Amino acid sequence: MTKEFILTEKELYPSHQVPEDSDLDYREQFPDIRHLIRRQFSGIWTRDNAIRRFPVLQWGPQYTLKKLASDAIAGITVGLTSIPQSIAYAVVANLEPQYGLYSNFMGSFVYAFFGSVKEITIAPTAIMALMVQHKVLQLGPAGAILASFLSGCIILLLGLLNFGFVVQFISMPVITGFITAAAITIMSSQIKSLMGISSAGRSSSFVDSWANVFENVGQTRLWDALLGFGTLAILIFITLIKGRGSGRWRSFTNNLNLLRNALVVIGGGVLAYGFATHDLQPFRLTGKVASGFPTVELPPFSTTFKDEFYDFPRMLHILGSSVIAIPMISILEVVSIGKAFAKGKPVDATQEMIALGLCNIAGSFTSSIPTTASFARTAINSSSGVRTPFGGVFTGILVLSALGLLTDWFYYIPKATLAAVIIAAMVFMIEYRAVAEMWRIKRIDIVPFLVTVVSCLFAGLEYGILIGIGVNLCFLLYLISRPRIDHRTIKINATNALILRPTNDLAFSSAEYLREKIIRMASEYAADVVVIDGELIKYVDSTVVKNLSATVTDLNAQGRDVLLWRWNREVQYSLYRYRKDQFMPLFRADGNEEAMLRDWKSPPFGEGSV
């Protein structure tokens, strides 16, 4: 029976006796599983964790009337933009207009208490509408509502399982590319409304938007174009003079900039109403919205559509891969937009996933389609001076008011005015400075940036960001597969020693490269002994271990000896498990390399150890 043995620090360094018939006991590395579970769950109900999972507990106690006023202005401004956009996205999804509004208010309310990025607005988006478009044709509104519930459950589950690490795979060049492409795409989709073109394009993508404009440029309405471009010029001018001058003028320009979106929307509505009182309608208006509040009921797990009954398994079969695709794209969008508007602050991706999941689950009880972070409305929210996520409550109240009381008032908002508000927000979201910084700091970062921009513009935002992340990961994998290996040579007692020092952990992708480089450099420098300094190596996988064993064998066949100097104990365990008889004589822990090399042919663990 194998004798139980625990390898301690004292026994490992610098010399020790290891019984040949013993195995290493790794209980020091793997403590009692019950202890780990207790330690993992002991911190769930701590104060810090509660604040992290309920962000309202952090900003709520410091909430002031000044912040309330700023949130109200921003929330109402976003609401004025959200109402016509939500109606439009409902139409894209083949639903009646009110479903877009149903989707808007619940997300705004829930995110106000669970969201951690104050600028983010949760709402229906063009991408989400397009992803449920064909499902609605097959299942009716129930298909979109069930998709919202299922995607919310998946997102919430991933958040609770702490899958927020996904944010680590979205680099700054990819985020910058996504922001730039999204801004260009959104601006492009608003050009037809800015010019008063009434023709509906095939989609709101970059290519289709411009194709629609060029094909129907003859339908341009003069008054819409004048109002749209005039409003756009006013918004850009107000933004540019913000903070100029001093004293009262500086304060005036700051306040004017804060109110600019609300002022032009109200101004456009008043102007259109004035014309209407004289039986004139020179502008294309938002139009009538059906009134009435949504009913609160369970998501539809079965439905009857076009005289055909669908049970839950059949509905799930029809939804197909969208049940996975919708959550993934929703997470990528909310994380990307969160990072874009966080202004250098860390984004708690896990909390954003929890908040988004709850928004979709709660929304499904009020007939909502899938929602995620809206880039355009988030930009408007930010530019309007929102101070906390509570601004979403005012957006939700306005949407509810529109459904129940104010549909007649929103009828008169010109579409050209709303288009100008969105385009003005997007103009200042393009990351000009970030591109210049990438070019100055690391020009290779321009590649994933350009790939992301081009892919988002021509393949769509949802595919473009995935392509950008993929290209960036290829760069990362290449770097991992080519670890940097510092080297130097010393000569002691007529012995040529080559000391190699890998500067990072070693994984399977770098195994062959490491082996080839060590053997090549040993021959190049005519080394009698090759010392591999493992001070910076904290991890190796099985492929690396096997290749390292083969490297030692190859060098020994060439008449060269190998020493493994200052290797981490956990890494040594991995090597021992593979071939203890080969690796144990090679390890050295001496602090001085010269002292180690002077007697490098002496048995490292004493006579008879191996």
Side-chain angles (χ1 to χ4, degrees):
M1 187 172 183
T2 302
K3 181 180 177 182
E4 190 178 56
F5 179 72
I6 301 176
L7 189 62
T8 65
E9 186 86 12
K10 182 178 179 181
E11 290 169 320
L12 181 62
Y13 300 118
S15 63
H16 59 283
Q17 292 287 121
V18 181
E20 231 175 301
D21 61 340
S22 70
D23 290 326
L24 299 176
D25 188 336
Y26 307 108
R27 290 179 298 174
E28 288 182 339
Q29 298 182 78
F30 304 105
D32 184 3
I33 189 65
R34 290 171 297 179
H35 172 70
L36 289 177
I37 293 174
R38 284 196 298 268
R39 187 173 61 184
Q40 181 71 21
F41 286 95
S42 62
I44 288 181
W45 300 111
T46 63
R47 181 178 181 275
D48 291 342
N49 199 49
I51 291 175
R52 187 164 60 251
R53 296 297 167 242
F54 297 92
V56 65
L57 298 177
Q58 184 173 8
W59 56 261
Q62 288 83 38
Y63 205 63
T64 62
L65 287 176
K66 187 175 182 180
K67 291 181 179 179
L68 180 67
S70 297
D71 287 344
I73 292 170
I76 292 171
T77 303
V78 172
L80 292 172
T81 305
S82 292
I83 290 168
Q85 282 193 333
S86 298
I87 293 170
Y89 294 147
V91 174
V92 171
N94 293 314
L95 293 167
E96 295 178 6
Q98 62 267 25
Y99 282 97
L101 296 176
Y102 296 164
S103 306
N104 200 311
F105 85 89
M106 185 55 75
S108 300
F109 275 119
V110 174
Y111 190 84
F113 298 98
F114 291 94
S116 61
V117 181
K118 67 180 186 298
E119 293 87 357
I120 281 184
T121 298
I122 301 296
T125 64
I127 293 174
M128 294 294 103
L130 288 172
M131 295 193 72
V132 299
Q133 184 183 70
H134 297 295
K135 312 306 176 185
V136 171
L137 290 175
Q138 295 173 282
L139 295 170
I145 298 168
L146 182 60
S148 176
F149 175 76
L150 294 176
S151 63
C153 290
I154 293 173
I155 295 169
L156 178 61
L157 178 62
L158 293 176
L160 294 174
L161 292 175
N162 205 28
F163 269 68
F165 66 85
V166 68
V167 71
Q168 300 173 5
F169 295 95
I170 309 177
S171 67
M172 191 272 285
V174 174
I175 290 294
T176 304
F178 175 77
I179 294 170
T180 302
I184 294 171
T185 300
I186 293 169
M187 285 192 292
S188 301
S189 70
Q190 297 300 313
I191 293 296
K192 66 182 182 67
S193 295
L194 195 73
M195 299 171 64
I197 297 173
S198 58
S199 173
R202 288 160 290 187
S203 74
S204 58
S205 68
F206 172 76
V207 175
D208 287 344
S209 294
W210 284 106
N212 186 43
V213 169
F214 286 120
E215 289 171 3
N216 301 282
V217 68
Q219 297 182 20
T220 301
R221 295 164 56 105
L222 176 62
W223 290 107
D224 278 297
L226 287 175
L227 177 65
F229 284 103
T231 303
L232 180 60
I234 291 171
L235 289 169
I236 292 176
F237 174 74
I238 293 174
T239 303
L240 292 175
I241 66 170
K242 174 190 175 184
R244 304 281 182 176
S246 59
R248 292 184 178 179
W249 174 252
R250 184 186 184 92
S251 177
F252 171 75
T253 57
N254 284 332
N255 291 328
L256 183 64
N257 182 73
L258 185 65
L259 296 169
R260 68 187 188 280
N261 292 326
L263 288 175
V264 297
V265 170
I266 294 172
V270 170
L271 184 63
Y273 180 77
F275 278 112
T277 58
H278 294 85
D279 296 325
L280 297 173
Q281 190 172 322
F283 312 120
R284 292 180 62 234
L285 305 179
T286 299
K288 186 173 179 59
V289 179
S291 62
F293 299 108
T295 58
V296 179
E297 56 188 2
L298 287 172
F301 296 105
S302 63
T303 187
T304 300
F305 183 64
K306 293 182 178 179
D307 299 325
E308 189 171 356
F309 177 76
Y310 297 87
D311 58 10
F312 180 70
R314 193 174 175 192
M315 293 178 73
L316 193 61
H317 176 73
I318 291 174
L319 290 176
S321 61
S322 66
V323 174
I324 302 299
I326 290 174
M328 291 300 101
I329 293 172
S330 297
I331 290 170
L332 284 173
E333 287 201 83
V334 76
V335 170
S336 300
I337 293 172
K339 289 184 71 175
F341 287 89
K343 298 177 181 177
K345 297 179 181 178
V347 174
D348 188 345
T350 295
Q351 181 59 31
E352 288 303 297
M353 291 163 66
I354 291 173
L356 181 61
L358 291 173
C359 286
N360 278 278
I361 292 173
S364 68
F365 284 81
T366 54
S367 303
S368 170
I369 69 173
T371 57
T372 185
S374 166
F375 193 92
R377 277 158 281 184
T378 298
I380 293 171
N381 202 23
S382 176
S383 64
S384 297
V386 71
R387 300 292 295 276
T388 71
F390 196 70
V393 171
F394 293 97
T395 300
I397 291 173
L398 189 61
V399 172
L400 276 178
S401 301
L403 281 166
L405 304 170
L406 302 178
T407 51
D408 293 339
W409 292 94
F410 290 111
Y411 179 93
Y412 295 101
I413 299 175
K415 291 185 176 181
T417 300
L418 293 173
V421 169
I422 295 171
I423 292 174
M426 293 299 101
V427 166
F428 295 98
M429 284 307 301
I430 298 177
E431 299 276 3
Y432 309 102
R433 292 182 180 177
V435 176
E437 288 174 356
M438 280 187 286
W439 182 259
R440 187 172 65 252
I441 299 171
K442 196 72 172 178
R443 294 184 180 180
I444 193 66
D445 286 341
I446 293 292
V447 175
F449 164 78
L450 290 177
V451 169
T452 304
V453 171
V454 173
S455 300
C456 286
L457 291 179
F458 293 97
L461 295 177
E462 67 274 25
Y463 298 111
I465 192 169
L466 291 175
I467 293 171
I469 292 171
V471 170
N472 214 57
L473 286 178
C474 289
F475 277 65
L476 179 62
L477 290 174
Y478 179 80
L479 291 175
I480 293 174
S481 67
R482 296 293 185 272
R484 178 182 167 187
I485 303 176
D486 295 334
H487 70 279
R488 54 198 173 91
T489 59
I490 60 175
K491 190 170 184 177
I492 296 178
N493 297 334
T495 298
N496 292 324
L498 172 65
I499 301 177
L500 301 173
R501 192 185 196 219
T503 58
N504 52 278
D505 293 337
L506 303 173
F508 65 93
S509 59
S510 62
E512 284 297 330
Y513 172 81
L514 179 70
R515 178 182 177 184
E516 292 173 4
K517 189 160 186 177
I518 290 175
I519 293 174
R520 177 175 56 81
M521 294 182 72
S523 299
E524 182 180 342
Y525 291 98
D528 298 311
V529 58
V530 176
V531 179
I532 304 176
D533 183 355
E535 183 182 19
L536 301 179
I537 302 173
K538 309 300 180 185
Y539 170 83
V540 294
D541 62 18
S542 58
T543 306
V544 172
V545 171
K546 294 181 73 173
N547 273 267
L548 194 57
S549 174
T551 303
V552 172
T553 301
D554 291 344
L555 290 172
N556 290 158
Q558 295 175 3
R560 311 179 199 280
D561 287 296
V562 180
L563 296 178
L564 303 179
W565 182 37
R566 299 193 300 187
W567 282 63
N568 179 275
R569 187 171 59 176
E570 284 72 22
V571 177
Q572 291 190 36
Y573 287 155
S574 298
L575 297 175
Y576 289 155
R577 292 188 191 105
Y578 181 63
R579 284 192 62 181
K580 184 173 67 175
D581 61 329
Q582 181 186 34
F583 285 109
M584 188 167 286
L586 307 183
F587 284 107
R588 296 292 191 279
D590 306 73
N592 185 286
E593 59 198 43
E594 293 187 6
M596 172 193 65
L597 288 169
R598 282 195 182 96
D599 59 347
W600 61 276
K601 286 191 176 182
S602 302
F605 303 118
E607 292 296 332
S609 62
V610 178

